[in-house]
Every structure is written in structure tokens, then in C-alpha cells.
């Protein structure tokens, strides 16, 4: 008989950093979101702390992607979207129209489900962000490339072929390149929407390790459909269902002893 | 945190946003050039030709007097041409498309046919006119008949129809074919009962659009010598004929200025006809586009 | 029990029918592909027909006119019995002049239109504008010819006083307008084929729309855009009625767009309006010119295909 | 004009025998079938009018009219594709020979007069008249004329653009014969089978000069300026109805023709009826479309000729 | 702490039919399959018994779909496919080229991942199979429609709108319609390739129940990526990995006590 607790990292339940007061990077206050007439997020309230990995889980269509795309306002690419309530990034309401999305997105990077490098060289992919922000100095750019690729644990694999097309990389490498591209503009928060769902097990592992490293410097919010993954890598987990935030808790706590019956049903695979 | 200087970035952002806003107007302006020309063109033609546009214009044959000139022969000629071109090109085109999409092995020869079709689509229409003149009019001795014209036009639009039909067939979800095969249907049964019915809207849309190209073509028919003054409706495929663009060309090259207005009226009719055909195509496309 | 009995009956029915129609079905399955193959081959026959038609008459032409003269001579005066000149250069420069002017008009406008439609316009706007623009491509060229001659040329004459009444500029511009939708539409297709995820990736890095369009989408769609432009040139080279009506019929070895010119297509029309008879050198000359035209557009089409295949982006 | 040679009767009779039954069957009242007509663009307006009127009398006869130019028309006539060929000049000897070789006998009918009109742009205020010699100098390759000043001293040094009917046209041939005297026409002239292109060209070009059939000038007289041509008597004559009919407008006045296959006349009732109708009405119709009619006697004579050859 | 055994149906481990000798509908003997140069199935050997539900599980890309598509030779729609070994249906080798695929597929029906009704009326969908097999009699067809729809537990929901387009149905109804369509030609075996992966939880439940009923009359082979589903509905389970059949066993046995370490890793979510 297999215990589900084996899925969870073997760490003491009370972790050393539990008592350190961390600042919140994001706060959602009564946040609602509609696509046209259909309400997709309902009265979401929660705070996301810095330098942590926050996992968002829930069955397909529950609004996970929609939620994290709201955090950098990518959700506005859907023209019919309507939002209300508050969504604070470092205390400033990003739904406020005066807040420039370009600025927000420079601060809040995003990694997507499918690796989406640009059809350019590896080098060009990484310097894309710095370039649009006006950095032209070749030396600085080179440094950025090296540091970002190292940060994404990709440097050793690609350092000899920086000028080759990014599509020559494997899926997992492409995904790490996307992470590097994101690191290049030194964001504050990194959003990740099922970043490993298109990857093979080994690449998945690498990305998971990377996430663990990155949280030292960045705050990470990650959507995943793989509960084991959430259990493995996150500090806190939020469970969404039908657009509602059902439960939000330390990951260890949630997986060993969910408060809500629906959470339990979900993590034991009764639905979804 | 040392490379991305927040202040600099913020400053630059303003100018980037300004450029962004301006660019939208530039692109919009460019888009409106096309629309503007279209507007001017249509305005000129309508204002020039509408006074000749009455019932008589549709029931009269060509005449030396502008007031009495009508477009009947050309309309019927065009319809006759379509009656030949439509079925011939659609049957050939769809057959070719089915073969290429569903039967042909992906070998050199298939690729050759495919490339050949793309090239054919880019051959100037006047070269098709030379072909029609040599092969249909002279070699096969069809003379300057509707048949010769219709066949020439069929070949002209064949590649367009093949490509459209291929696309339509390709867009039939693979799952539907699999479902059919999974029931034990043979290939032809699957094609006839599943693929073709599902592809028909796309094929028709492409077919109508291609036909509307044929309706507007002048040069190939000049080559095979469609006639100038025609005061009759073709009776059979061997009849001489004229079509709307030729009739319009004829009118524009009349010395009397009044005939230029008649030509404009003819253009209105031709455009309306094309508009009608395009609308039908768009309706078919919209009606059936969201089915799977 | 009852179900079981019935079930057998349908399966049996099928079995029975199968045996009965096996022969017929086998025949259909075997003959249909052959039949369809024949249809597919018609496209090849058409090409062969074109090539043979052009070739046979062209060879006759070159029996009378030195092929070297055809290629190198700078004068095209076939109509003078005393001393006909068959140097195709003026027709080619006329054709290229029109094509180049057309591209100067069509590529920037078509590309900007494509960017607007694919990156800026809302779905609704796109759905309205696109078919309207397509109307431009569907308007019979004879209408454009008329438009060029009676509207564009007089207008241009006010701006460019030296402009001859029949000139390369006016039909060039109008041909350009005519192929705007083709370039816009093909480029837009290429840009729409750039995956959404690529735009999202760029936007998520804080890019503006303009940056996304110019730095990500455009480069990614470049091969499609170049192919569209090459096809546009091919279209402009093959365009007939507009240049026949507004370009004039004076073969002219010039690159001055204000002068009267004659294109290859216009020459063919000119001769066939006069109904050249079998046997005269002029009659064969239209096939030789047609051959040149065919080769030109063929090369363009092959280049376009090669570009779009060779540089097709694997996103 | 020639062509009613000896051979005509025999081949004529032959045709008659072969198809006599058919001819008799066709009722005189309501004819069917078609009449193949092609040829001169100059003559086209007249024949178009004839066809149009004929359709009112014989609605079931198809008489489409092509415009291939005189030469082009003869080529189709020789190939046996047409029954009637319109011409703005008499048939050439070479053409006549080819027709004969093809075994076709034909009859020539004059149907109207035309005055070949020389026109310049409306804004051209200095050209008051031209002599035949000046025309020749202008239009010859060897004349070395570039600007109006080269034509006559005192005229401005503005470039001239030349517009001429195409080489398949009878008008070109006539000009070639009368003005150029068979020397090489200048190469930079715009040649077009489409007379309207010439009209537009001269209209649109300040230095333009061109020539074409009177009716094309007549229909555009508000937009073009016609040039009086100095005739043999030294008078500068403007082409108009009277000067053409009276013969003062020379050497650019000329008759227009119809060439009809005798075999068609004999075998196809509708062709015979068509030609008869044409000769009966050509006078009025040609006046209507801007040409000058022949004298009544001439039409009468033509009708008699018709009766004779179609027996 | 949640036990994974709660995922499995509460049935005695030794089931009553265990000692009944069932015949095999399919036998694979040293079956290999390549797409072009790439070997996708490697030396597969196993027997599938009649009137049972056999589940096939394994991570994405391991060859599940390829395998069940081999069973009705649908895999041959991919032109580059090559196979060797033996695949016996009721004792006859179906790889034998003399065996007519149409006949085989009449016996071995298939239900696909995405519901794929034809864009025709509900009625026309069901009679498609009978029609192509030459049954024209209106009365028989009507009967077939009723019986098949009842068999697919859909009759009550659609009996009043048989002539409406099948695309008006919900996803779950469409999937059951596809099952009905398959039942109409009374196959012997029904292959199902992730039949519920595109469906919502309630529709999934319905289809699962249906599968349980159908096994009375048909043999069912079902591919699923949802291990809980395999546990819930199947009698036997086969675990594929990288084209190899790792383990094949009674479902209860496999989920409670996997023989192979890899099986255990997979069902506990260590990868995939
Ligand atoms: N562009 C859109 N327009 C309208 N509705 C949408 C749009 N995108 C998503 N939705 C709807 O919003 C709801 C939430 O979608 P979302 O993509 O956020 O779900 P998710 O939890 O990320 O699911 P998955 O795990 O499948 O990615 C779904 O019901 C979906 O159908
Ligand atoms: N048409 C094809 N051509 C070439 N390779 C293919 C083709 N279809 C599948 N493959 C490859 O064969 C392997 C097995 O594919 P298959 O679809 O059988 O996997 P699966 O187990 O069904 O996966 P999934 O759970 O994602 O459906 C994969 O590596 C896949 O890439
Ligand atoms: Mg999502
Ligand atoms: Mg699969
Ligand atoms: O067309 P023409 O009258 O000049 O021969």
C-alpha cells in the first residue's frame, strides 16, 4: 500500500522560514473576472509572498491560467475580458488603467506552457528584452546573456552555439531558454503556466530543480495540473475550482490534511 | 539588478509608447489607401453609369445608339461561359484534389503535380489565351465558340480550384475519416459519404471565387477572339458569344463619350454580379465554417 | 436472449451484404483512383500544352528571326515590312518598369495593411475590411484599365507635367493597387501563422505592440512575405488589360516611367486585336513573346515556392 | 476592285448544286443561321448599325461583327471563317491572290465614303493647316522631325507624339500609300488597332497628332482639333460631310468596302438578305454614324451587281 | 493519510469469474511496429480475453494509441508504418494481407479520444455503419438506431430529436453517440482511445458506467491516461513504457502490488 505522503518532499512540516515575515508581492482583493457574460474568477482573495513558490492547482477550466495571466494583465489580450476588485502588485493596483502594462510586464515575467522561443538565435532570444529596453552595448548584452543562461541552468549546454536557431534545442532546453529570456530583464516575479506539461520527465526534473533555485532571487507563481509536482516544488498551494479559490495553504499541510472535502477529492483523483 | 536601470527604462518607455500609438495610425492610413481607391473607383463608375442602368439595359442587345445599348448578349454569354467553365473546372479540380490529398503517395511525381499546379496558378491569363487559341480554336477546330472560351477559362481557373479543394479536403478533421474507416468503410465510401460532404462548402466557396475570376477575365477571350458586336444569345456550345468584360472593353473603345457611360453601367452590372457571387461564397463559408 | 438473437441477425445481414457487393466494391475501389489520377494529370497536360504550343510556334519564329537578335537587339518594330526589328528588350523593360512601380506601391501598403489587420485590427474590423479589400483583387482588370486611363493619368498629369498620356506610371500604380490585397492577404496569412504564443512571449517581456509586430512577427513571417511579394511581381508581369489600355503601345527601351511603353502582354493583345493570321512572322512573334512571358513568370513562381519552402519557419 | 473573275461562276454553280435543297427549304420570311462578318474598324460602325437593324427584321439570324482591321479581316476571309469582310481600302493584289488560291470568289461593294481626319490636341493653337508634304515629312522615319519647329518655322519647339492606326488596318495602308508613298513610317509612333486609343492619346497629349476615320473625329469633335489639309488645288480643306462628298477633301477621302463571298451569297439565304439589306440601308446608316453616303445610283448599281452574282 | 487502494473499486480481490475460462479475442505475438525508422512498439506479447475490460496505461508517447490502432489496423493510415510479428484476432492473423481491413473493422469497432460524430443528424450518424454495409431497409435501420442508442444509454436524451445535427449535443452525449454508432454494426470488440479525456467529470462518469454495462456483450480495450479510471473500470491493466509492455495483470493486483518498479513509479506519479 502506497501512502500519498511519499509524494511530498521529505521535509519537516514546520520549516525554518516559517516565522520569517515575508512581504507580499501580489494581493488579490475581491477580484472577479468575466469573459463576456461568463464569470471565470469569483471573488478571489489571497496574498502571494515574495521569494516563495506558490503553486496553483485545479481541474481543467477552473481558471488557473486566467488567474495568473491577470497578474501581468496578459489576460487583456482577450478583448471580451472584464475585471473588477483589486489586484495589488507591491501595493499598487495594477487594474488601475494608469498603470502601464509594459512596465508591469517588465517586472512580472512569464513562462508559458509550451516553450515559445522566437525563431531567432539563442543569443537573440535572450537579448530581446534588454534590447527593447534600450540596451545596445554589446559587452553588457554579452554579460546579460551569460548570466541569464547560467541562471536558467542552460549555459553549459549552449555556450558554444549561441548563434544557432533556438528551434534546434530540445523542448526542455527551449523551456529553459524561455526562462533565461525572462531572467534577462531581471523581473521581480516569474509566472509559470504549466511550464513542464509539454516536457519529458528528465527535462521536467531539470526545470523543477531550476524553480527551486530561482526562488532565492525571485517570487514564483506556478500553475500545474500535476499534483505531485505541486507537492514536490511549492511552498504554498492554492486550489481553484470553478473559478473559486477553495483552499490556500502551505503545501505540506494541504496535501497531508486538506481542509476542504473538494480539495481532498481532487488530490485523490476522484475527479479532474 | 544592475543592467536594467529602472529610471532609464521608465524614460524610454514613454517614447516607446508614443511610437506605438503613432504606428497604429500609420498602419491604418496604409490600409485606408486601398479602401480609398476602391471608394473612388466605385464612386466614379456609379456616378458615370447609373443613368443608363434601367430595365432596357438588361433586355437590349448592343446597339450603335448609347441609349439603346444593352448588355443582354453579354450577360447570357457570361452565363453560358460559366455553365461550361463551372462544371468542367470543378469536376476536374475536385478530382485532382481528391487524388492529391487522399490517394497519391508522397513521392516525386506527386510533388511534381503539386508544384505544377502552383506554377499554373501563376501563369498569366493571356498565355492561357494563346493555349486556347492554338489548341481549342485552331487545332480542335472549335472556332470562336462558347465551348472554346469555356474550356480555356476552365484551364485558367483549374489550379485555383484544385488548391481551394485541397484545402477544403485537408480541413476535414482527420477524426471524421478515422471514424468512418473505424466502421469498416472503404476508402471511396469514406470519401463520398464523409469527406466530400464535409468539404463541399469549402469547395463551393473556392469554386465560386474562381468562377468570379473567370467572369472578369478579358485577355484570354480577346486572344481566342470573342466577337465584338453580338446581338443574340448563344444557343448551343458552338455559338459565337460575347461576355461582359469584352462588351465593356468594346464600349470603352467607342468614339462616342456616351458609350463610356454605357461602359460604366456595364461595369456596375459586372461588379454587382461579382458581388453577388462573392456574397454567396461568403455566406456559404460563414454558414458552414463553425461546424466541427 | 432476444437481443442476442437479433444481434446476430444484423451482423449476419452485414456479412451477407458484404459477400454480395464485394466484387462491385472491389471494382470501384480499384477504378476510382485511376479515374482521379487521370484528372490530376490534366493539370500536367495543360502545362505541357502551354509549353508545346509556345515552343512549336516559337521555334518557327526563330527560324525567321535570329534568336540572338531577339535577345540582344534594342528595337522592337515588327510592323514595318521593310525592316522589321525583333529585339525583345524594350518589351521587357516596359514590363519590368510597370512591375517595379507596382511593387513600389503594393509592397509597403500591402505589408502595412497586413500588419494592421493581423496585429492591430479587432476581429470585427478585420472581418469587414478583409473582404472589402479582396474586392480590389476581384475587380476585372478591364475596369482598372479604364480607371487608370480616365482618372489616374489625368490626375498624374497635373502633378507631373511632363507625363505622356500613355505612360508606365499610371498603369504601374493601378496594377500596384490591384495587387495590394494579394500581398496583404498572403502576408497576413504568414503573420497569422506565427503562433500566438510567440506574441505572448514578447508581450510578457514588456514589448509594445509595435515591437511585437516589427521585431517578432515580421521576422518570423518574412519568408511568407517575400514569397507573397515575388508572387506579386509575377502577377504584375502577367497583367494585361491595364497596361494595354493605359500603358500605350510603343515599345520603348527606357526606364523613365513618364514615357509611353509597351509590355509583353500588351504586345500580344495588340497583335491579336489585329488578328494576326497564320504564317506571318508577327503571328509567330506573339508566341515568342508569350514564351518569354511564361518563362519570366515561371521563374518568379518557382522562386516564390522555393522561398516559402526553404525558409518555412518551424515554430 | 476586282475579284469577279472567270472562276466565279463555276465554283458558284458547284456550291449551288451541293446545297440547293437546303436553300429551298429556308423560307423567305423567317431566316435562321448566321452571317460571319469581320474586318475594318473604320467600317465597323456602319456594319454594326446594319446588323442591329437587320436583327429587327430577321431576329433569328445571327450576324455578329468582328473588328480585326481590314487586313486582319481579309486573313479570316481567306481562311474561310467569314462570309463578309469589311475594308477601308481596296483589297491588295497579294490578298486577292490568296483568296483565289483558297478557292473563294468574292464581290466588292462600296458602301460609303470616309474622310481620313488628321487631328491634334485641342490646346494646340498654332497648327492651322498642313500640306501633304509636311505630313509626309512628319511621319517618315527619314523626316527627322522631333518638335513642331522642325515642321514649320515659327512653330514652337515642343515635342510631337504620333498616333497611328495599326498595320493591320486599312487606314494605315491608305495613309502609307497616299502620304508616305510606301516609305518607312516613323518608329516612335504609337500604333493601335483600337481607334479610341488614338483619340485618347491625342486628347491627352499636348503635342499629339493622329489620324483616323472621320466618324471617330466626328464623335469627338469637341475634344479634338481637326487639321485642314491642303488639297491638290492648294486649298486648305476641313473634312466634313460636304467636302468629302464633293471630293474637295483630297487626297484623304476614300471609299469604304464590303467584300462578300459569292458562295455564301448563293448558298446562304441569310447572307444574301443581309447584304441586300446592307446596300439598301447603308446610305442612311452611314450618315447616321458619321460617314458620308454614296449616291443613290451607286447603291442601285450595287444591288444589281448583287442580284447578278447571287444567281 | 489517504490510501491509494481507496481508488480501486471495493470488490473482493478474488472475483467470481476468475476461474471461468474465457476465450481470447486478441493475441499479440512478438509484435513490433515502426514509424519509419523509429520503433514505437517493441516485442509485445499478450492476450486479451473476451467480455472483459482491458485497460492500457502509460505515459504520453509510450505507444498506447499506436497499439490499439494496430488492433483494427487503423494504424495503417500512417503511410510510413511497418509491422511484424503476429496479431491474432480470434485466431486469425490480421497482419496477413489477405485479411480485409473493412471486415476486421466491422468486427472491431473503435471510439476515439475526441468525440467525432459526423456533421449529420443523430439518426444519420447511427445508421452510417449499417448503410455502408448495405442495409437499406428503413424498418431495420430504425430498429438499429433505437437499440444502439439505448445500448449507449443515450436514447432517452435524444429520442425526440433524432434529426437534429449531432453537433448540437454536449461533449459527453457526442461521445456516447460515437459509441452508439459503433454498436450499430454490432462489433465483437470495442477499442476506446482515451474516450473520456475530453469530457467533463459527469459525462466521464456516464461513459464509465456504460463501459461496465457493455462488457457483458462486448470485449472492451480502453486506453486511458487516468490511472484512477483504469482502477475503477478495468478487469485487467497493461502498462506500457517506451513501446514496451512492462506489466500486464489483473487491475486490482497491479494497483495494490505492482511487480515492476517502473509500474510503481508511474502509478504513484513519479513521472508522466
Ligand atoms: N479567451 C477566452 N474566451 C472565453 N472564455 C475563455 C477564454 N479562455 C478561457 N476561457 C474559459 O475560462 C475558463 C477558465 O479557463 P482557464 O484557461 O483559465 O482554465 P485552466 O484552469 O487554465 O484550464 P487548463 O488546465 O485546461 O489550462 C474556462 O471555462 C474556459 O473555457
Ligand atoms: N503518425 C506518426 N508518425 C510518426 N511518429 C508517430 C506518429 N504517431 C505517433 N508517433 C510517435 O509514436 C510514439 C507513440 O505514439 P502514440 O500516439 O502511440 O503514444 P500514446 O501512448 O498514445 O501517447 P498519448 O498518451 O499522448 O496519446 C510517439 O513517440 C509518437 O511521437
Ligand atoms: Mg491553463
Ligand atoms: Mg494516444
Ligand atoms: O480598321 P481599319 O478600317 O483601319 O482597317
Amino acid at each position: 500500500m502506497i501512502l500519498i505522503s511519499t509524494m511530498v518532499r521529505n521535509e519537516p512540516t514546520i520549516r525554518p522560514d516559517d516565522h520569517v515575515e515575508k512581504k507580499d508581492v501580489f494581493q488579490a482583493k475581491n477580484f472577479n473576472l468575466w469573459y463576456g457574460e461568463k464569470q471565470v474568477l469569483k471573488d478571489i482573495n489571497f496574498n502571494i509572498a515574495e521569494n516563495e513558490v506558490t503553486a496553483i492547482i485545479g481541474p481543467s477550466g477552473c481558471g488557473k491560467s486566467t488567474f495568473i495571466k491577470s497578474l501581468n494583465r496578459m489576460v487583456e489580450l482577450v478583448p471580451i475580458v472584464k475585471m473588477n476588485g483589486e489586484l495589488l502588485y507591491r501595493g499598487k493596483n495594477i487594474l488601475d488603467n494608469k498603470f502601464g502594462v509594459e512596465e508591469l510586464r517588465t517586472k512580472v515575467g512569464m513562462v508559458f506552457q509550451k516553450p515559445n522561443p522566437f525563431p531567432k538565435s539563442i543569443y537573440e532570444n535572450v537579448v530581446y528584452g534588454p534590447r527593447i529596453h534600450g540596451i545596445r552595448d554589446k559587452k553588457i548584452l554579452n554579460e546579460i546573456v551569460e548570466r541569464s543562461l547560467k541562471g536558467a541552468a542552460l549555459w553549459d549546454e549552449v555556450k558554444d552555439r549561441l548563434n544557432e536557431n533556438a528551434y534546434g534545442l530540445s523542448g526542455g532546453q527551449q523551456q529553459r531558454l524561455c526562462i533565461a529570456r525572462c531572467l534577462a530583464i531581471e523581473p521581480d516575479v516569474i509566472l509559470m503556466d504549466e511550464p513542464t506539461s509539454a516536457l519529458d520527465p528528465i527535462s521536467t526534473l531539470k526545470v523543477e530543480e531550476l524553480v527551486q533555485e530561482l526562488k532565492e532571487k525571485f517570487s514564483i507563481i506556478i500553475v500545474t495540473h500535476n499534483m505531485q509536482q505541486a507537492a514536490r516544488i511549492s511552498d504554498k498551494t492554492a486550489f481553484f475550482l470553478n473559478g473559486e479559490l477553495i483552499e490556500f495553504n502551505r503545501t505540506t499541510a494541504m496535501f497531508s490534511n486538506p481542509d476542504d472535502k473538494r480539495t481532498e477529492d481532487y488530490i485523490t483523483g476522484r475527479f479532474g | 539588478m544592475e543592467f536594467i536601470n529602472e529610471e532609464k527604462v521608465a524614460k524610454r518607455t514613454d517614447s516607446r509608447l508614443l511610437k506605438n500609438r503613432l504606428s497604429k495610425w500609420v498602419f491604418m492610413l496604409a490600409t485606408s489607401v486601398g479602401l480609398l481607391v476602391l471608394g473612388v473607383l466605385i464612386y466614379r463608375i456609379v456616378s458615370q453609369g447609373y443613368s443608363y442602368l434601367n430595365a432596357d439595359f438588361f433586355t437590349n442587345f448592343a446597339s450603335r445608339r448609347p441609349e439603346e445599348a444593352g448588355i443582354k448578349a453579354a450577360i447570357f454569354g457570361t452565363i453560358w461561359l460559366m455553365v461550361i467553365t463551372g462544371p468542367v473546372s470543378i469536376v476536374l479540380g475536385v478530382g485532382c484534389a481528391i487524388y492529391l490529398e487522399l490517394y497519391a503517395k508522397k513521392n516525386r511525381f506527386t510533388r511534381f503535380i503539386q508544384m505544377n499546379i502552383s506554377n499554373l496558378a501563376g501563369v498569366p491569363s493571356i498565355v492561357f489565351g494563346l493555349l486556347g487559341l492554338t489548341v481549342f480554336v485552331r487545332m480542335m477546330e472549335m472556332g470562336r465558340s462558347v465551348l472554346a472560351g469555356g474550356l480555356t477559362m476552365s484551364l485558367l481557373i483549374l489550379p485555383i480550384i484544385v488548391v481551394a479543394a485541397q484545402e477544403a479536403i485537408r480541413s476535414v478533421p482527420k477524426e471524421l475519416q478515422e471514424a468512418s474507416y473505424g466502421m469498416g468503410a472503404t476508402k471511396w465510401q469514406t470519401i463520398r459519404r464523409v469527406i466530400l460532404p464535409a468539404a463541399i462548402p469549402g469547395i463551393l466557396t473556392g469554386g465560386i471565387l474562381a468562377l468570379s475570376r473567370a467572369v472578369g477575365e478579358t485577355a484570354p477571350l480577346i486572344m481566342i477572339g470573342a466577337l465584338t458586336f453580338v446581338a443574340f444569345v448563344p444557343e448551343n456550345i458552338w455559338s459565337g458569344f460575347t461576355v461582359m468584360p469584352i462588351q465593356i472593353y468594346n464600349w470603352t473603345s467607342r468614339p462616342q463619350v456616351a458609350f463610356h457611360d454605357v461602359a460604366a453601367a456595364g461595369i456596375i452590372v459586372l461588379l454587382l454580379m461579382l458581388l453577388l457571387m462573392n456574397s454567396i461564397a461568403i455566406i456559404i463559408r460563414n454558414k458552414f465554417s463553425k461546424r466541427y | 436472449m432476444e437481443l442476442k438473437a437479433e444481434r446476430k441477425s444484423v451482423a449476419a445481414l452485414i456479412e451477407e451484404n458484404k459477400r454480395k457487393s464485394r466484387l462491385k466494391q472491389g471494382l470501384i475501389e480499384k477504378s476510382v483512383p485511376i479515374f482521379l489520377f487521370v484528372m490530376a494529370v490534366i493539370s500536367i497536360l495543360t502545362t505541357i500544352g502551354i509549353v508545346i504550343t509556345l515552343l512549336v510556334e516559337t521555334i518557327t519564329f526563330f527560324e525567321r528571326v535570329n534568336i540572338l537578335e531577339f535577345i540582344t537587339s534594342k528595337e522592337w518594330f515588327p510592323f514595318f515590312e521593310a525592316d522589321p526589328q525583333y529585339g525583345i528588350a524594350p518589351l521587357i523593360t516596359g514590363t519590368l518598369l510597370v512591375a517595379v512601380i507596382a511593387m513600389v506601391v503594393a509592397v509597403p501598403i500591402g505589408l502595412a495593411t497586413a500588419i494592421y489587420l493581423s496585429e492591430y485590427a479587432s476581429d470585427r474590423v478585420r472581418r469587414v475590411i478583409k473582404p472589402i479589400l479582396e474586392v480590389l483583387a476581384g475587380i476585372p482588370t478591364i475596369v482598372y484599365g479604364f480607371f487608370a486611363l480616365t482618372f489616374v493619368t489625368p490626375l498624374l498629369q497635373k502633378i507631373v507635367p511632363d507625363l505622356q498620356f500613355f505612360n508606365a506610371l499610371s498603369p504601374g500604380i493601378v496594377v500596384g493597387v490591384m495587387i495590394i490585397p494579394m500581398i496583404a492577404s498572403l502576408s497576413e496569412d504568414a503573420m497569422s501563422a506565427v503562433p500566438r504564443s510567440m506574441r505572448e512571449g514578447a508581450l510578457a517581456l514588456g514589448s509594445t505592440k509595435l515591437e511585437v509586430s516589427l521585431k517578432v512577427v515580421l521576422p518570423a513571417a518574412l519568408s511568407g512575405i517575400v514569397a507573397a511579394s515575388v508572387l506579386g511581381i509575377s502577377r504584375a508581369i502577367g497583367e494585361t488589360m491595364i497596361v494595354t489600355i493605359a500603358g500605350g503601345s510603343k515599345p520603348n527601351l527606357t526606364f523613365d516611367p513618364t514615357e509611353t511603353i509597351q509590355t509583353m502582354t500588351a504586345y500580344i493583345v495588340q497583335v491579336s486585336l489585329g488578328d494576326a493570321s497564320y504564317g506571318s512572322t508577327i503571328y509567330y512573334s506573339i508566341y515568342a513573346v508569350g514564351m518569354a512571358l511564361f518563362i519570366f513568370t515561371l521563374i518568379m513562381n518557382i522562386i516564390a515556392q522555393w522561398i516559402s519552402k526553404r525558409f518555412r519557419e518551424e515554430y | 476592285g476586282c475579284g469577279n473573275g472567270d472562276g466565279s461562276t463555276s465554283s458558284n454553280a458547284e456550291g449551288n448544286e451541293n446545297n440547293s435543297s437546303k436553300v429551298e427549304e429556308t423560307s423567305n420570311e423567317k431566316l435562321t443561321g448566321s452571317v460571319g462578318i469581320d474586318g475594318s474598324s473604320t467600317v465597323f460602325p456602319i456594319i454594326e448599325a446594319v446588323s442591329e437593324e437587320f436583327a429587327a427584321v430577321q431576329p433569328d439570324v445571327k450576324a455578329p461583327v468582328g473588328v480585326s482591321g481590314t487586313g486582319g479581316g481579309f486573313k479570316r476571309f481567306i481562311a474561310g471563317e467569314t462570309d463578309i469582310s469589311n475594308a477601308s481600302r481596296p483589297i491588295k493584289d497579294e490578298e486577292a491572290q490568296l483568296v483565289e488560291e483558297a478557292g473563294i470568289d468574292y464581290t466588292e461593294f462600296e458602301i460609303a465614303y470616309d474622310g481620313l481626319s488628321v487631328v491634334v490636341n485641342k490646346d494646340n493653337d498654332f497648327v492651322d493647316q498642313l500640306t501633304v508634304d509636311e505630313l509626309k515629312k512628319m511621319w517618315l522615319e527619314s523626316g527627322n522631325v522631333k518638335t513642331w519647329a522642325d515642321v514649320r518655322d515659327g512653330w514652337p519647339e515642343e515635342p510631337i507624339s504620333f498616333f497611328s492606326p495599326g498595320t493591320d488596318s486599312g487606314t494605315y495602308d491608305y495613309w502609307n500609300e497616299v502620304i508616305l508613298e510606301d516609305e518607312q513610317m516613323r518608329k516612335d509612333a504609337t500604333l493601335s488597332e483600337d481607334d479610341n486609343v488614338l483619340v485618347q492619346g491625342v486628347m491627352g497629349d499636348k503635342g499629339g497628332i493622329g489620324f483616323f476615320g472621320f466618324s471617330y473625329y466626328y464623335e469627338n469633335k469637341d475634344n479634338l482639333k481637326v487639321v485642314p489639309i491642303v488639297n491638290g488645288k492648294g486649298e486648305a480643306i476641313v473634312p466634313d460631310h460636304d467636302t468629302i462628298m464633293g471630293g474637295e477633301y483630297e487626297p484623304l477621302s476614300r471609299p469604304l468596302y464590303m467584300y462578300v463571298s459569292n458562295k455564301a451569297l448563293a448558298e446562304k439565304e441569310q447572307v444574301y438578305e443581309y447584304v441586300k439589306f446592307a446596300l439598301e440601308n447603308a446610305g442612311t446608316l452611314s450618315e447616321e454614324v458619321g460617314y458620308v453616303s454614296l449616291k443613290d445610283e451607286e447603291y442601285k448599281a450595287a444591288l444589281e451587281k448583287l442580284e447578278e452574282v447571287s444567281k
Side-chain angles (χ1 to χ4, degrees), chain A residues 206-260:
Chain A
K206 283 211 174 147
V207 171
E208 285 183 6
E209 279 167 8
L210 181 58
V211 168
Q212 293 294 338
E213 275 168 39
L214 289 175
K215 82 169 183 186
E216 308 278 303
K217 288 199 226 122
F218 308 93
S219 316
I220 293 173
I221 303 167
I222 183 167
V223 169
T224 174
H225 67 281
N226 183 329
M227 277 159 287
Q228 287 79 36
Q229 184 173 71
R232 276 194 298 267
I233 63 171
S234 69
D235 299 299
K236 296 209 184 103
T237 299
F239 171 58
F240 277 65
L241 186 64
N242 287 331
E244 283 175 78
L245 174 61
I246 303 294
E247 192 167 346
F248 178 48
N249 209 338
R250 312 222 123 262
T251 302
T252 39
M254 186 184 286
F255 275 86
S256 55
N257 196 4
D259 282 345
D260 198 293

Side-chain angles (χ1 to χ4, degrees), chain A residues 9 11-23 49-54 212 215-216 218 233-236 250-252:
Chain A
R9 239 169 346 174
E11 276 185 37
T13 321
I14 308 271
R15 287 184 295 163
D17 59 349
D18 246 22
H19 50 271
V20 179
E21 258 313 302
K22 279 181 178 162
K23 275 192 240 148
E50 65 179 14
N51 291 38
E52 279 191 355
V53 176
T54 306
Q212 293 294 338
K215 82 169 183 186
E216 308 278 303
F218 308 93
I233 63 171
S234 69
D235 299 299
K236 296 209 184 103
R250 312 222 123 262
T251 302
T252 39

